[in-house]
Amino acid sequence: MSTPPNRRAVAVVLLIPLVVTLALWAFAWPAARIAPRDLPVGVAGAAPAADRLQQGFEQREGAFEVHRFDDEAAARAAIEDRVVYGAVVAGPEGPHVLTATAASPVVAQLLREAVTAAAPDGAQVQVTDVVAAPVGDPRGSALGASMLPLALAGMGAGAAVFMLGLRGARAALTLTGAAALVGLAATAVAHSWLGVITGDWWTEAGVLGLTVLAIGSAVAGLTALFGPRGLGVGALLMILLGNSFSGVTSAPHLLPEPVGAIGQWLPPGAGGSLLRSVAFFDGGAAGGPALTLALWSALGLAAVLVAGRQRTTAAPAGDQAPGSP
């Protein structure tokens, strides 16, 4: 029996405010609670000056995770390998702040302000940007804005496969081909035209394509398993939570716990971190995000293939005449 029109109207009236409230929570709450949480930073130099710097960070309990280095060269190497977001070197003329705006302009500014505020009166704070953001995107805003279109592209690919009734290997090939083309097109725009990313062109295209494939195959897999309800679950995971929890516009370590960690387990967050690694850090710390994207892609495609095979196997049985053995 179909639902009466009045009941459907009431459901819509109640559902829209609920969805808007959920969206505001997912996007506005993390942004309003940005603060360092176990943020990896480095301290280098000789004691006791370096000890005082470390104690200054540790006074803010739970805010920073301090790594000690013997000298400035070791601290620079750690920044380039994405072990820490930045470092402070204790020197005879005052603290020397090493930042990486390519990793996070927000963290770089936070580190500069924190060291400057704690420096003794009259001390000069020197700042060096070890891995600078590209000229085409000095504030990182364009890179941060790129994740939503990729999430929408993956969501659209997964939904299209379901709506067009594609199954099995045909669905998997469609998702892979669409993701590859999106990766090429997005790299042409972001790298060749805008100059937002500056790493190896084909590696960046592969990362962008893998991000779209992870999202698209996850959505297609959910719809293959659960039907139309899978689209809702996919939109919740990939668009609402995945994009808002990604930390691409700030940094995962600045988001409330456990939001930052959850965001890195979802394709938009993992894709943003992997893109930064290959675009600016020669692949430093790329293993974890790459594995996350590969797992989402593999699980989603496996669900598509298994569901397609089950439907193919069930079809001949459904075609038998009633009463036949």
Side-chain angles (χ1 to χ4, degrees), residues 6-315:
N6 290 339
R7 188 174 298 178
R8 292 199 298 266
V10 171
V12 170
V13 169
L14 296 177
L15 182 61
I16 290 177
L18 178 62
V19 171
V20 171
T21 301
L22 181 61
L24 285 174
W25 167 81
F27 282 90
W29 173 61
R33 296 292 184 268
I34 286 180
R37 295 172 175 85
D38 292 324
L39 182 71
V41 297
V43 171
D51 292 338
R52 287 195 296 268
L53 289 174
Q54 181 173 349
Q55 291 171 4
F57 283 117
E58 292 176 345
Q59 285 178 355
R60 299 179 60 179
E61 185 176 356
F64 297 99
E65 178 186 285
V66 181
H67 298 245
R68 285 296 292 265
F69 303 103
D70 294 333
D71 51 29
E72 181 177 333
R76 285 176 174 266
I79 293 172
E80 292 169 352
D81 291 338
R82 302 202 72 185
V83 176
V84 295
Y85 281 88
V88 186
V89 182
E93 298 179 357
H96 181 189
V97 182
L98 305 177
T99 63
T101 52
S104 171
V106 178
V107 172
Q109 181 180 356
L110 184 152
L111 190 59
R112 288 194 303 267
E113 293 175 350
V115 175
T116 301
D121 293 338
Q124 293 185 348
V125 178
Q126 182 183 356
V127 180
T128 300
D129 200 350
V130 177
V131 186
V135 177
D137 188 25
R139 296 179 179 84
S141 54
L143 180 64
S146 65
M147 281 302 107
L148 180 56
L150 292 178
L152 292 174
M155 184 74 199
V161 165
F162 171 71
M163 299 299 291
L164 295 175
L166 301 178
R167 300 288 183 266
R170 183 176 298 177
L173 290 174
T174 301
L175 290 167
T176 304
L181 290 177
V182 170
L184 294 174
T187 307
V189 173
H191 183 119
S192 302
W193 178 29
L194 299 177
V196 172
I197 49 180
T198 57
D200 179 75
W201 200 97
W202 290 103
T203 304
E204 292 168 347
V207 169
L208 293 170
L210 181 60
T211 302
V212 175
L213 178 62
I215 297 170
S217 59
V219 173
L222 288 168
T223 57
L225 295 174
F226 305 111
R229 288 175 294 181
L231 286 177
V233 176
L236 175 67
L237 289 175
M238 303 302 163
I239 305 298
L240 194 60
L241 299 182
N243 191 66
S244 58
F245 290 4
S246 67
V248 178
T249 58
S250 55
H253 290 87
L254 297 182
L255 300 180
E257 297 178 350
V259 166
I262 293 173
Q264 295 306 296
W265 298 338
L266 297 173
S273 295
L274 183 57
L275 183 59
R276 284 190 189 277
S277 292
V278 302
F280 310 124
F281 295 90
D282 294 327
L291 179 61
T292 299
L293 293 176
L295 287 174
W296 277 100
S297 300
L299 292 174
L301 292 176
V304 170
L305 292 172
V306 170
R309 181 173 297 180
Q310 289 176 342
R311 285 187 174 86
T312 302
T313 304

